[in-house]
């Protein structure tokens, strides 16, 4: 709230030296938002798919108390074709699954090389298909995957891009994202109903390079995420984000001007990339071209974020386990 922002800034002395921030990805996680929309009671935990959905909701709910950045992502629609049968490779656990791709539901297949879990009592699982889910019954245990889990976990050959529609922060006592009831995200979900909608929830590490030695001058996680959010909004959503009101843009601009002055922020470098990425991380928007690694600099001019794309060879690639 604005009052909290003013209190926070009044307690922090102005930095005695310029600060250069570098933000790198520490932990990313994709959540299939379509599975959460619709409300109603929690799914039945006795059902494999119900357990999956409850774990999904609980995992996302756990992020609502934290200050993390999320991206609303649109990807081509993929469903399992329940009218066709799976097939197995000769003398192997190579499973071929029929799928329907895009709003026109083009027939295709994906293949995954399964490994027998240690707890399994069957050498080959019993497969059950739903439009969005596949379950593998290994006798003593059941594995449940969404179709997009399979695309991420295995090299299926379906190389599709992720379009960034919106950038936000997870912190929300009402846990609207976890309940599938976030107004802006739901509006994007409805407007892009022919595609699948995801949340990419990301924890960032922010390193500060400065000559200042007073630890009281260090920015809080809240401040870091506010600055990072502003930079990412400008980068992916452009100079005039169409989903932001004039009031929101004005409040953010004023806050960035105050934070820049308080912490003497000279520039922020954002490295949105990692070594162990898959095709889900081939990201683009209406304002930036596709890349698996988005690397850019941001400076603030009277609270306005100004960004500049950097060459990917400018800095070493950041590992997920860094």
């Amino acid at each position: 709230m604005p009052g909290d922002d003013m209190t926070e800034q009044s307690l922090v002395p102005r930095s005695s030296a310029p600060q250069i921030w570098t933000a790198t990805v520490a932990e990313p996680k994709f959540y299939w938002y379509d599975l959460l929309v619709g409300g109603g009671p929690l799914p039945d935990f006795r059902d494999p798919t119900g357990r999956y959905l409850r774990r999904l909701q609980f995992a996302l709910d756990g992020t609502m108390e934290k200050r993390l950045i999320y991206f609303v992502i649109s990807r081509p629609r993929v469903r399992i074709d329940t009218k066709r049968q799976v097939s197995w490779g000769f003398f192997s656990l190579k499973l071929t699954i029929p799928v329907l791709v895009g709003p026109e539901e083009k027939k295709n297949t994906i293949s995954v090389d399964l490994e027998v879990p240690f707890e399994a009592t069957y050498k080959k699982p019993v497969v059950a298909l739903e439009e969005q889910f596949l379950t593998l019954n290994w006798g003593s245990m059941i594995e449940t995957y969404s179709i997009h889990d399979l695309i991420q976990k295995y090299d299926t050959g379906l190389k599709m891009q992720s379009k960034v529609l919106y950038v936000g922060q997870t912190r929300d006592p009402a846990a609207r994202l976890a309940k599938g009831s976030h107004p802006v995200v739901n509006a994007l979900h409805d407007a892009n109903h022919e595609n699948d909608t995801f949340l990419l929830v990301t924890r960032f590490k922010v390193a500060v390079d400065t000559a200042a030695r007073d630890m009281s001058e260090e920015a809080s996680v809240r401040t870091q995420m506010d600055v990072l959010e502003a930079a990412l909004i400008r980068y992916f959503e452009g100079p005039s984000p169409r989903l932001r009101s004039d009031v929101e843009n004005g409040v953010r601009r004023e806050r960035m001007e105050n934070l820049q002055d308080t912490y003497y922020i000279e520039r922020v470098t954002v490295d949105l990339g990692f070594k162990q990425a898959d095709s889900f991380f081939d990201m683009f928007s209406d304002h930036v071209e596709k890349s698996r690694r988005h690397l850019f600099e941001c400076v603030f001019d009277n609270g306005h974020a100004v960004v500049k794309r950097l060459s990917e060879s400018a800095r070493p690639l950041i590992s997920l386990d860094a």
Side-chain angles (χ1 to χ4, degrees), residues 9-272:
Q9 291 165 21
S10 66
L11 296 176
V12 179
R14 188 180 189 277
S15 179
S16 58
Q19 297 187 10
I20 298 174
W21 294 8
T22 301
T24 54
V25 172
E27 184 181 0
K29 176 67 176 178
F30 276 96
Y31 297 89
W32 191 358
Y33 190 75
D34 299 287
L35 301 178
L36 301 171
V37 177
L42 285 175
D44 188 350
F45 199 79
R46 294 167 295 182
D47 174 71
T49 302
R51 286 196 297 273
Y52 179 99
L53 292 172
R54 291 187 72 170
R55 285 195 298 267
L56 170 66
Q57 188 176 52
F58 292 158
L60 188 55
D61 188 56
T63 70
M64 299 295 99
E65 299 177 358
K66 303 173 184 176
R67 293 200 176 274
L68 307 173
I69 298 293
Y70 72 86
F71 304 87
V72 179
I73 302 287
S74 178
R75 285 179 57 82
R77 186 179 191 273
V78 183
R79 295 291 184 272
I80 295 174
D81 188 350
T82 57
K83 295 180 180 179
R84 292 187 286 162
Q85 301 295 318
V86 300
S87 61
W88 295 95
F90 290 108
F91 310 111
S92 75
L93 285 179
K94 184 175 184 178
L95 178 64
T96 299
I97 304 159
V99 296
L100 301 170
V101 180
E104 65 280 5
E105 297 191 336
K106 290 183 179 179
K107 291 185 177 182
N108 205 333
T109 59
I110 61 173
S111 294
V112 298
D113 289 306
L114 301 178
E115 295 183 1
V116 180
F118 177 78
E119 303 90 338
T121 52
Y122 294 167
K123 293 183 178 179
K124 180 180 289 187
V126 177
V127 181
L129 303 179
E130 300 178 34
E131 274 196 340
Q132 296 169 315
F133 295 98
L134 173 142
T135 58
L136 304 173
N137 187 339
W138 294 93
S140 60
M141 61 173 293
I142 296 177
E143 291 183 306
T144 303
Y145 296 98
S146 76
I147 179 60
H148 289 289
D149 289 338
L150 295 172
I151 294 171
Q152 272 206 282
K153 183 173 181 178
Y154 299 96
D155 184 9
T156 62
L158 287 182
K159 308 292 185 184
M160 297 179 291
Q161 303 173 17
S162 294
K163 183 176 182 179
V164 178
L165 305 176
Y166 184 84
V167 181
Q169 291 189 51
T170 57
R171 175 75 173 175
D172 179 13
R176 291 170 298 175
L177 286 175
K179 297 174 182 176
S181 60
H182 192 288
V184 175
V185 182
N186 283 11
L188 288 168
H189 166 268
D190 294 341
N192 294 272
H193 64 276
E194 292 187 342
N195 290 338
D196 288 334
T197 302
F198 294 82
L199 303 175
L200 170 56
V201 177
T202 307
R203 181 170 63 87
F204 283 90
K205 292 170 60 178
V206 178
V208 179
D209 183 11
T210 180
R213 291 293 177 262
D214 188 346
M215 298 300 290
S216 68
E217 298 176 7
E218 291 189 358
S220 65
V221 172
R222 174 183 182 175
T223 293
Q224 291 177 349
M225 292 306 103
D226 283 352
V227 171
L228 189 54
E229 179 189 28
L232 288 163
I233 288 172
R234 173 61 182 85
Y235 181 76
F236 282 111
E237 298 185 41
S240 302
R242 63 182 182 85
L243 296 172
R244 316 282 176 171
S245 68
D246 291 341
V247 172
E248 178 186 349
N249 288 330
V251 170
R252 179 174 293 106
R253 183 169 59 251
E254 182 178 348
R255 176 151 170 78
M256 290 306 105
E257 189 173 12
N258 290 335
L259 291 179
Q260 181 191 21
D261 180 69
T262 299
Y263 294 99
Y264 207 161
I265 303 171
E266 190 169 287
R267 71 175 181 271
V268 180
T269 300
V270 180
D271 190 348
L272 194 61

